[in-house]
Amino acid sequence: MTPTAEPIRVLIADDQPLVRRGLALILGPAPGIEVVAEAEHGEQAVELAHRHRPSVVVMDIRMPGVDGVQATERLARELPDCRVLALSTFDMDEYVVAALRAGAAGFLPKDVSPEELLAAVRTVHTGEAAVAPRLLTRLLSTFVAAPPRRPRSAVAPPGLDELTGREIEVWRLLATGLDNAGIAREMGISGSTVKNHITSVFGKLRVRDRAQAVIAAYESGLVVAGTTG
């Protein structure tokens, strides 16, 4: 980041003061990052996001009152330029998937290293999804393809009939956990061609990033639980 570049404005939302303090101590001193506010629940996170307009919200999923999933859904609707990086523990996977459905740009377990957290904040700030493909595939195989708690429409995602055969194959491989290089090897095409296909898939399906594209693939039945790259 050049000296003249604007810092990444980060809002931290967690109901535990020690966790908030720890996250602030990791993120605050990092080059190119500015912690602009801290919230102790989802309602406050949304309120402070409107006030401070952060680039990234580091959001705990389980909070009292308005939780991280509800807050993420509101932010995705009310402040679409604000990216949410969800935090959770390994035994709360279902809530993380719910956050991705709500519009989170990615998620991390709370035991990640400071370096991984910083990298994820920078990644979601660029518009990419900060989700490890293998971890995402495992979570979605367990929860997205499982019967939902409430009835869910089986209607195909918008734009599905606009996809070409090659775009559908790229989408399928992306959903099974392959990165761009892996998709290129599997299909025998260049990395730039893969990137172009993914951009087209995102546009036609009206999804923001890789995480939402994977969720759409599971919910449409393109891939099923247990599928791997």
Side-chain angles (χ1 to χ4, degrees):
M1 179 172 290
T2 62
T4 57
E6 290 292 327
I8 301 171
R9 296 169 59 81
V10 175
L11 186 153
I12 297 168
D14 196 293
D15 63 314
Q16 299 180 48
L18 283 177
V19 174
R20 290 199 306 273
R21 181 59 178 163
L23 292 171
L25 287 173
I26 292 170
L27 295 170
I33 293 178
E34 178 186 2
V35 176
V36 295
E38 298 179 22
E40 60 185 29
H41 51 73
E43 183 70 36
Q44 188 179 39
V46 174
E47 176 189 341
L48 291 174
H50 276 278
R51 186 186 309 170
H52 295 280
R53 299 301 173 110
S55 308
V56 177
V57 176
V58 178
M59 180 87 73
D60 181 29
I61 294 305
R62 296 295 302 273
M63 292 185 288
V66 176
D67 65 15
V69 174
Q70 295 168 306
T72 296
E73 187 173 25
R74 286 186 55 185
L75 288 172
R77 183 175 65 251
E78 299 170 16
L79 296 173
D81 291 335
C82 177
R83 309 283 289 179
V84 174
L85 175 62
L87 296 183
S88 184
T89 53
F90 280 118
D91 59 350
M92 295 179 182
D93 291 342
E94 185 173 3
Y95 291 92
V96 180
V97 174
L100 291 174
R101 286 197 185 113
F107 66 85
L108 294 175
K110 281 191 174 180
D111 60 355
V112 296
S113 68
E115 292 76 18
E116 289 171 314
L117 175 63
L118 289 166
V121 167
R122 293 188 171 107
T123 296
V124 299
H125 178 252
T126 67
E128 298 295 327
V131 184
R134 286 186 296 275
L135 178 57
L136 179 61
T137 300
R138 191 191 80 225
L139 296 175
L140 294 175
S141 295
T142 303
F143 295 108
V144 175
R149 292 178 176 177
R150 295 190 297 269
R152 186 174 68 231
S153 171
V155 175
L160 180 61
D161 57 352
E162 300 175 22
L163 296 177
T164 66
R166 179 147 289 197
E167 287 170 346
I168 289 175
E169 180 63 8
V170 168
W171 182 28
R172 184 187 69 80
L173 292 172
L174 179 156
T176 58
L178 292 181
D179 59 13
N180 287 14
I183 295 171
R185 287 192 299 270
E186 185 75 16
M187 297 184 65
I189 57 180
S190 70
S192 60
T193 299
V194 170
K195 186 175 181 180
N196 290 337
H197 282 319
I198 289 176
T199 299
S200 181
V201 168
F202 286 3
K204 291 178 180 179
L205 295 180
R206 302 175 198 171
V207 298
R208 295 200 312 176
D209 52 38
R210 210 176 188 93
Q212 291 190 345
V214 174
I215 290 173
Y218 275 85
E219 296 187 325
S220 71
L222 179 68
V223 290
V224 297
T227 302
T228 64

PDB file of all heavy atoms in Angstrom, residues 152-163 168 171 204-207 212-213 215-222:
ATOM      1  N   ARG A 152     -37.473 -24.053   2.325  1.00  0.00           N
ATOM      2  CA  ARG A 152     -36.756 -23.129   1.453  1.00  0.00           C
ATOM      3  C   ARG A 152     -37.174 -23.377   0.021  1.00  0.00           C
ATOM      4  O   ARG A 152     -37.331 -24.517  -0.407  1.00  0.00           O
ATOM      5  CB  ARG A 152     -35.250 -23.323   1.601  1.00  0.00           C
ATOM      6  CG  ARG A 152     -34.438 -22.298   0.819  1.00  0.00           C
ATOM      7  CD  ARG A 152     -32.948 -22.452   1.122  1.00  0.00           C
ATOM      8  NE  ARG A 152     -32.384 -23.670   0.618  1.00  0.00           N
ATOM      9  CZ  ARG A 152     -31.668 -24.508   1.344  1.00  0.00           C
ATOM     10  NH1 ARG A 152     -31.458 -24.262   2.618  1.00  0.00           N
ATOM     11  NH2 ARG A 152     -31.169 -25.599   0.816  1.00  0.00           N
ATOM     12  N   SER A 153     -37.364 -22.319  -0.750  1.00  0.00           N
ATOM     13  CA  SER A 153     -37.767 -22.460  -2.137  1.00  0.00           C
ATOM     14  C   SER A 153     -36.718 -23.225  -2.923  1.00  0.00           C
ATOM     15  O   SER A 153     -35.512 -23.030  -2.760  1.00  0.00           O
ATOM     16  CB  SER A 153     -37.972 -21.063  -2.745  1.00  0.00           C
ATOM     17  OG  SER A 153     -38.172 -21.151  -4.129  1.00  0.00           O
ATOM     18  N   ALA A 154     -37.171 -24.093  -3.809  1.00  0.00           N
ATOM     19  CA  ALA A 154     -36.264 -24.871  -4.636  1.00  0.00           C
ATOM     20  C   ALA A 154     -36.049 -24.215  -5.990  1.00  0.00           C
ATOM     21  O   ALA A 154     -35.516 -24.823  -6.904  1.00  0.00           O
ATOM     22  CB  ALA A 154     -36.813 -26.286  -4.813  1.00  0.00           C
ATOM     23  N   VAL A 155     -36.486 -22.976  -6.137  1.00  0.00           N
ATOM     24  CA  VAL A 155     -36.358 -22.269  -7.402  1.00  0.00           C
ATOM     25  C   VAL A 155     -34.881 -22.088  -7.739  1.00  0.00           C
ATOM     26  O   VAL A 155     -34.070 -21.731  -6.885  1.00  0.00           O
ATOM     27  CB  VAL A 155     -37.060 -20.902  -7.325  1.00  0.00           C
ATOM     28  CG1 VAL A 155     -36.837 -20.105  -8.599  1.00  0.00           C
ATOM     29  CG2 VAL A 155     -38.544 -21.094  -7.060  1.00  0.00           C
ATOM     30  N   ALA A 156     -34.524 -22.326  -9.002  1.00  0.00           N
ATOM     31  CA  ALA A 156     -33.135 -22.175  -9.439  1.00  0.00           C
ATOM     32  C   ALA A 156     -32.708 -20.723  -9.291  1.00  0.00           C
ATOM     33  O   ALA A 156     -33.543 -19.808  -9.359  1.00  0.00           O
ATOM     34  CB  ALA A 156     -32.994 -22.624 -10.881  1.00  0.00           C
ATOM     35  N   PRO A 157     -31.416 -20.471  -9.081  1.00  0.00           N
ATOM     36  CA  PRO A 157     -30.961 -19.087  -8.948  1.00  0.00           C
ATOM     37  C   PRO A 157     -31.224 -18.292 -10.215  1.00  0.00           C
ATOM     38  O   PRO A 157     -31.226 -18.861 -11.316  1.00  0.00           O
ATOM     39  CB  PRO A 157     -29.452 -19.237  -8.679  1.00  0.00           C
ATOM     40  CG  PRO A 157     -29.103 -20.578  -9.205  1.00  0.00           C
ATOM     41  CD  PRO A 157     -30.317 -21.432  -9.002  1.00  0.00           C
ATOM     42  N   PRO A 158     -31.457 -16.986 -10.092  1.00  0.00           N
ATOM     43  CA  PRO A 158     -31.700 -16.172 -11.286  1.00  0.00           C
ATOM     44  C   PRO A 158     -30.492 -16.222 -12.208  1.00  0.00           C
ATOM     45  O   PRO A 158     -29.350 -16.238 -11.765  1.00  0.00           O
ATOM     46  CB  PRO A 158     -31.904 -14.764 -10.708  1.00  0.00           C
ATOM     47  CG  PRO A 158     -31.248 -14.792  -9.370  1.00  0.00           C
ATOM     48  CD  PRO A 158     -31.441 -16.195  -8.863  1.00  0.00           C
ATOM     49  N   GLY A 159     -30.760 -16.272 -13.502  1.00  0.00           N
ATOM     50  CA  GLY A 159     -29.674 -16.290 -14.476  1.00  0.00           C
ATOM     51  C   GLY A 159     -29.118 -17.655 -14.792  1.00  0.00           C
ATOM     52  O   GLY A 159     -28.224 -17.783 -15.637  1.00  0.00           O
ATOM     53  N   LEU A 160     -29.635 -18.708 -14.157  1.00  0.00           N
ATOM     54  CA  LEU A 160     -29.103 -20.048 -14.388  1.00  0.00           C
ATOM     55  C   LEU A 160     -29.200 -20.457 -15.851  1.00  0.00           C
ATOM     56  O   LEU A 160     -28.269 -21.040 -16.421  1.00  0.00           O
ATOM     57  CB  LEU A 160     -29.838 -21.071 -13.511  1.00  0.00           C
ATOM     58  CG  LEU A 160     -29.396 -22.538 -13.639  1.00  0.00           C
ATOM     59  CD1 LEU A 160     -27.929 -22.686 -13.258  1.00  0.00           C
ATOM     60  CD2 LEU A 160     -30.272 -23.434 -12.782  1.00  0.00           C
ATOM     61  N   ASP A 161     -30.333 -20.111 -16.479  1.00  0.00           N
ATOM     62  CA  ASP A 161     -30.520 -20.513 -17.879  1.00  0.00           C
ATOM     63  C   ASP A 161     -29.671 -19.690 -18.839  1.00  0.00           C
ATOM     64  O   ASP A 161     -29.613 -20.000 -20.039  1.00  0.00           O
ATOM     65  CB  ASP A 161     -31.997 -20.407 -18.260  1.00  0.00           C
ATOM     66  CG  ASP A 161     -32.573 -19.016 -18.042  1.00  0.00           C
ATOM     67  OD1 ASP A 161     -31.870 -18.159 -17.459  1.00  0.00           O
ATOM     68  OD2 ASP A 161     -33.723 -18.787 -18.462  1.00  0.00           O
ATOM     69  N   GLU A 162     -28.991 -18.660 -18.338  1.00  0.00           N
ATOM     70  CA  GLU A 162     -28.119 -17.848 -19.187  1.00  0.00           C
ATOM     71  C   GLU A 162     -26.702 -18.407 -19.260  1.00  0.00           C
ATOM     72  O   GLU A 162     -25.909 -17.990 -20.104  1.00  0.00           O
ATOM     73  CB  GLU A 162     -28.060 -16.413 -18.662  1.00  0.00           C
ATOM     74  CG  GLU A 162     -29.410 -15.706 -18.614  1.00  0.00           C
ATOM     75  CD  GLU A 162     -29.302 -14.340 -17.966  1.00  0.00           C
ATOM     76  OE1 GLU A 162     -28.182 -13.781 -17.933  1.00  0.00           O
ATOM     77  OE2 GLU A 162     -30.327 -13.828 -17.472  1.00  0.00           O
ATOM     78  N   LEU A 163     -26.352 -19.332 -18.355  1.00  0.00           N
ATOM     79  CA  LEU A 163     -24.994 -19.861 -18.316  1.00  0.00           C
ATOM     80  C   LEU A 163     -24.736 -20.793 -19.493  1.00  0.00           C
ATOM     81  O   LEU A 163     -25.588 -21.603 -19.863  1.00  0.00           O
ATOM     82  CB  LEU A 163     -24.758 -20.625 -17.005  1.00  0.00           C
ATOM     83  CG  LEU A 163     -24.824 -19.820 -15.702  1.00  0.00           C
ATOM     84  CD1 LEU A 163     -24.636 -20.758 -14.515  1.00  0.00           C
ATOM     85  CD2 LEU A 163     -23.770 -18.733 -15.682  1.00  0.00           C
ATOM     86  N   ILE A 168     -21.056 -23.377 -16.654  1.00  0.00           N
ATOM     87  CA  ILE A 168     -21.602 -24.297 -15.654  1.00  0.00           C
ATOM     88  C   ILE A 168     -20.512 -25.219 -15.131  1.00  0.00           C
ATOM     89  O   ILE A 168     -20.438 -25.493 -13.929  1.00  0.00           O
ATOM     90  CB  ILE A 168     -22.773 -25.111 -16.245  1.00  0.00           C
ATOM     91  CG1 ILE A 168     -23.982 -24.201 -16.447  1.00  0.00           C
ATOM     92  CG2 ILE A 168     -23.147 -26.281 -15.323  1.00  0.00           C
ATOM     93  CD1 ILE A 168     -25.154 -24.863 -17.144  1.00  0.00           C
ATOM     94  N   TRP A 171     -18.326 -23.259 -12.785  1.00  0.00           N
ATOM     95  CA  TRP A 171     -19.091 -23.072 -11.547  1.00  0.00           C
ATOM     96  C   TRP A 171     -19.070 -24.338 -10.694  1.00  0.00           C
ATOM     97  O   TRP A 171     -18.853 -24.288  -9.493  1.00  0.00           O
ATOM     98  CB  TRP A 171     -20.510 -22.678 -11.910  1.00  0.00           C
ATOM     99  CG  TRP A 171     -21.450 -22.387 -10.777  1.00  0.00           C
ATOM    100  CD1 TRP A 171     -21.135 -21.915  -9.536  1.00  0.00           C
ATOM    101  CD2 TRP A 171     -22.869 -22.538 -10.800  1.00  0.00           C
ATOM    102  NE1 TRP A 171     -22.279 -21.776  -8.779  1.00  0.00           N
ATOM    103  CE2 TRP A 171     -23.357 -22.138  -9.533  1.00  0.00           C
ATOM    104  CE3 TRP A 171     -23.784 -22.963 -11.771  1.00  0.00           C
ATOM    105  CZ2 TRP A 171     -24.714 -22.165  -9.211  1.00  0.00           C
ATOM    106  CZ3 TRP A 171     -25.131 -22.983 -11.457  1.00  0.00           C
ATOM    107  CH2 TRP A 171     -25.589 -22.593 -10.193  1.00  0.00           C
ATOM    108  N   LYS A 204     -24.123 -13.359 -14.066  1.00  0.00           N
ATOM    109  CA  LYS A 204     -25.379 -13.992 -14.468  1.00  0.00           C
ATOM    110  C   LYS A 204     -26.166 -14.529 -13.273  1.00  0.00           C
ATOM    111  O   LYS A 204     -27.400 -14.498 -13.272  1.00  0.00           O
ATOM    112  CB  LYS A 204     -25.094 -15.108 -15.475  1.00  0.00           C
ATOM    113  CG  LYS A 204     -24.611 -14.595 -16.823  1.00  0.00           C
ATOM    114  CD  LYS A 204     -24.284 -15.732 -17.788  1.00  0.00           C
ATOM    115  CE  LYS A 204     -23.810 -15.195 -19.130  1.00  0.00           C
ATOM    116  NZ  LYS A 204     -23.460 -16.282 -20.079  1.00  0.00           N
ATOM    117  N   LEU A 205     -25.458 -15.032 -12.273  1.00  0.00           N
ATOM    118  CA  LEU A 205     -26.140 -15.564 -11.091  1.00  0.00           C
ATOM    119  C   LEU A 205     -26.470 -14.483 -10.069  1.00  0.00           C
ATOM    120  O   LEU A 205     -27.143 -14.747  -9.085  1.00  0.00           O
ATOM    121  CB  LEU A 205     -25.268 -16.640 -10.420  1.00  0.00           C
ATOM    122  CG  LEU A 205     -25.016 -17.912 -11.222  1.00  0.00           C
ATOM    123  CD1 LEU A 205     -24.131 -18.864 -10.423  1.00  0.00           C
ATOM    124  CD2 LEU A 205     -26.321 -18.604 -11.596  1.00  0.00           C
ATOM    125  N   ARG A 206     -25.929 -13.278 -10.300  1.00  0.00           N
ATOM    126  CA  ARG A 206     -26.147 -12.149  -9.391  1.00  0.00           C
ATOM    127  C   ARG A 206     -25.615 -12.457  -7.992  1.00  0.00           C
ATOM    128  O   ARG A 206     -26.288 -12.225  -6.980  1.00  0.00           O
ATOM    129  CB  ARG A 206     -27.636 -11.780  -9.326  1.00  0.00           C
ATOM    130  CG  ARG A 206     -28.226 -11.431 -10.683  1.00  0.00           C
ATOM    131  CD  ARG A 206     -29.720 -11.200 -10.615  1.00  0.00           C
ATOM    132  NE  ARG A 206     -30.313 -11.291 -11.941  1.00  0.00           N
ATOM    133  CZ  ARG A 206     -31.622 -11.295 -12.174  1.00  0.00           C
ATOM    134  NH1 ARG A 206     -32.472 -11.221 -11.159  1.00  0.00           N
ATOM    135  NH2 ARG A 206     -32.085 -11.383 -13.392  1.00  0.00           N
ATOM    136  N   VAL A 207     -24.408 -12.997  -7.940  1.00  0.00           N
ATOM    137  CA  VAL A 207     -23.743 -13.231  -6.664  1.00  0.00           C
ATOM    138  C   VAL A 207     -22.539 -12.301  -6.580  1.00  0.00           C
ATOM    139  O   VAL A 207     -21.982 -11.891  -7.600  1.00  0.00           O
ATOM    140  CB  VAL A 207     -23.306 -14.705  -6.502  1.00  0.00           C
ATOM    141  CG1 VAL A 207     -24.531 -15.617  -6.522  1.00  0.00           C
ATOM    142  CG2 VAL A 207     -22.314 -15.125  -7.582  1.00  0.00           C
ATOM    143  N   GLN A 212     -20.669 -16.905  -2.218  1.00  0.00           N
ATOM    144  CA  GLN A 212     -22.077 -16.960  -2.589  1.00  0.00           C
ATOM    145  C   GLN A 212     -22.297 -17.842  -3.819  1.00  0.00           C
ATOM    146  O   GLN A 212     -23.342 -18.492  -3.939  1.00  0.00           O
ATOM    147  CB  GLN A 212     -22.612 -15.552  -2.831  1.00  0.00           C
ATOM    148  CG  GLN A 212     -22.704 -14.726  -1.552  1.00  0.00           C
ATOM    149  CD  GLN A 212     -23.452 -13.426  -1.745  1.00  0.00           C
ATOM    150  OE1 GLN A 212     -23.675 -12.979  -2.858  1.00  0.00           O
ATOM    151  NE2 GLN A 212     -23.846 -12.806  -0.645  1.00  0.00           N
ATOM    152  N   ALA A 213     -21.322 -17.901  -4.723  1.00  0.00           N
ATOM    153  CA  ALA A 213     -21.447 -18.782  -5.886  1.00  0.00           C
ATOM    154  C   ALA A 213     -21.462 -20.243  -5.462  1.00  0.00           C
ATOM    155  O   ALA A 213     -22.201 -21.067  -6.014  1.00  0.00           O
ATOM    156  CB  ALA A 213     -20.296 -18.524  -6.865  1.00  0.00           C
ATOM    157  N   ILE A 215     -22.459 -21.410  -2.507  1.00  0.00           N
ATOM    158  CA  ILE A 215     -23.745 -21.648  -1.861  1.00  0.00           C
ATOM    159  C   ILE A 215     -24.832 -21.862  -2.909  1.00  0.00           C
ATOM    160  O   ILE A 215     -25.653 -22.783  -2.802  1.00  0.00           O
ATOM    161  CB  ILE A 215     -24.103 -20.473  -0.930  1.00  0.00           C
ATOM    162  CG1 ILE A 215     -23.181 -20.471   0.286  1.00  0.00           C
ATOM    163  CG2 ILE A 215     -25.558 -20.552  -0.486  1.00  0.00           C
ATOM    164  CD1 ILE A 215     -23.332 -19.265   1.169  1.00  0.00           C
ATOM    165  N   ALA A 216     -24.846 -21.024  -3.948  1.00  0.00           N
ATOM    166  CA  ALA A 216     -25.847 -21.172  -5.012  1.00  0.00           C
ATOM    167  C   ALA A 216     -25.721 -22.527  -5.696  1.00  0.00           C
ATOM    168  O   ALA A 216     -26.726 -23.144  -6.068  1.00  0.00           O
ATOM    169  CB  ALA A 216     -25.692 -20.039  -6.031  1.00  0.00           C
ATOM    170  N   ALA A 217     -24.493 -23.017  -5.851  1.00  0.00           N
ATOM    171  CA  ALA A 217     -24.285 -24.316  -6.497  1.00  0.00           C
ATOM    172  C   ALA A 217     -24.876 -25.444  -5.667  1.00  0.00           C
ATOM    173  O   ALA A 217     -25.515 -26.360  -6.201  1.00  0.00           O
ATOM    174  CB  ALA A 217     -22.798 -24.552  -6.731  1.00  0.00           C
ATOM    175  N   TYR A 218     -24.680 -25.389  -4.355  1.00  0.00           N
ATOM    176  CA  TYR A 218     -25.249 -26.420  -3.484  1.00  0.00           C
ATOM    177  C   TYR A 218     -26.766 -26.326  -3.443  1.00  0.00           C
ATOM    178  O   TYR A 218     -27.471 -27.333  -3.508  1.00  0.00           O
ATOM    179  CB  TYR A 218     -24.675 -26.307  -2.069  1.00  0.00           C
ATOM    180  CG  TYR A 218     -23.359 -27.033  -1.906  1.00  0.00           C
ATOM    181  CD1 TYR A 218     -22.169 -26.418  -2.249  1.00  0.00           C
ATOM    182  CD2 TYR A 218     -23.314 -28.334  -1.420  1.00  0.00           C
ATOM    183  CE1 TYR A 218     -20.957 -27.083  -2.126  1.00  0.00           C
ATOM    184  CE2 TYR A 218     -22.108 -29.001  -1.284  1.00  0.00           C
ATOM    185  CZ  TYR A 218     -20.935 -28.371  -1.635  1.00  0.00           C
ATOM    186  OH  TYR A 218     -19.747 -29.046  -1.510  1.00  0.00           O
ATOM    187  N   GLU A 219     -27.283 -25.125  -3.321  1.00  0.00           N
ATOM    188  CA  GLU A 219     -28.725 -24.972  -3.183  1.00  0.00           C
ATOM    189  C   GLU A 219     -29.471 -25.255  -4.468  1.00  0.00           C
ATOM    190  O   GLU A 219     -30.648 -25.595  -4.464  1.00  0.00           O
ATOM    191  CB  GLU A 219     -29.052 -23.583  -2.649  1.00  0.00           C
ATOM    192  CG  GLU A 219     -28.515 -23.362  -1.238  1.00  0.00           C
ATOM    193  CD  GLU A 219     -28.980 -22.054  -0.613  1.00  0.00           C
ATOM    194  OE1 GLU A 219     -29.110 -21.064  -1.367  1.00  0.00           O
ATOM    195  OE2 GLU A 219     -29.214 -22.032   0.608  1.00  0.00           O
ATOM    196  N   SER A 220     -28.792 -25.125  -5.614  1.00  0.00           N
ATOM    197  CA  SER A 220     -29.431 -25.429  -6.901  1.00  0.00           C
ATOM    198  C   SER A 220     -29.367 -26.905  -7.242  1.00  0.00           C
ATOM    199  O   SER A 220     -30.033 -27.370  -8.165  1.00  0.00           O
ATOM    200  CB  SER A 220     -28.753 -24.628  -8.011  1.00  0.00           C
ATOM    201  OG  SER A 220     -27.448 -25.136  -8.269  1.00  0.00           O
ATOM    202  N   GLY A 221     -28.533 -27.663  -6.498  1.00  0.00           N
ATOM    203  CA  GLY A 221     -28.379 -29.080  -6.790  1.00  0.00           C
ATOM    204  C   GLY A 221     -27.278 -29.380  -7.789  1.00  0.00           C
ATOM    205  O   GLY A 221     -27.084 -30.523  -8.190  1.00  0.00           O
ATOM    206  N   LEU A 222     -26.514 -28.360  -8.220  1.00  0.00           N
ATOM    207  CA  LEU A 222     -25.421 -28.585  -9.163  1.00  0.00           C
ATOM    208  C   LEU A 222     -24.373 -29.515  -8.560  1.00  0.00           C
ATOM    209  O   LEU A 222     -23.813 -30.369  -9.243  1.00  0.00           O
ATOM    210  CB  LEU A 222     -24.767 -27.247  -9.551  1.00  0.00           C
ATOM    211  CG  LEU A 222     -23.583 -27.337 -10.524  1.00  0.00           C
ATOM    212  CD1 LEU A 222     -24.062 -27.786 -11.906  1.00  0.00           C
ATOM    213  CD2 LEU A 222     -22.872 -25.989 -10.626  1.00  0.00           C
TER     214      LEU A 222
END
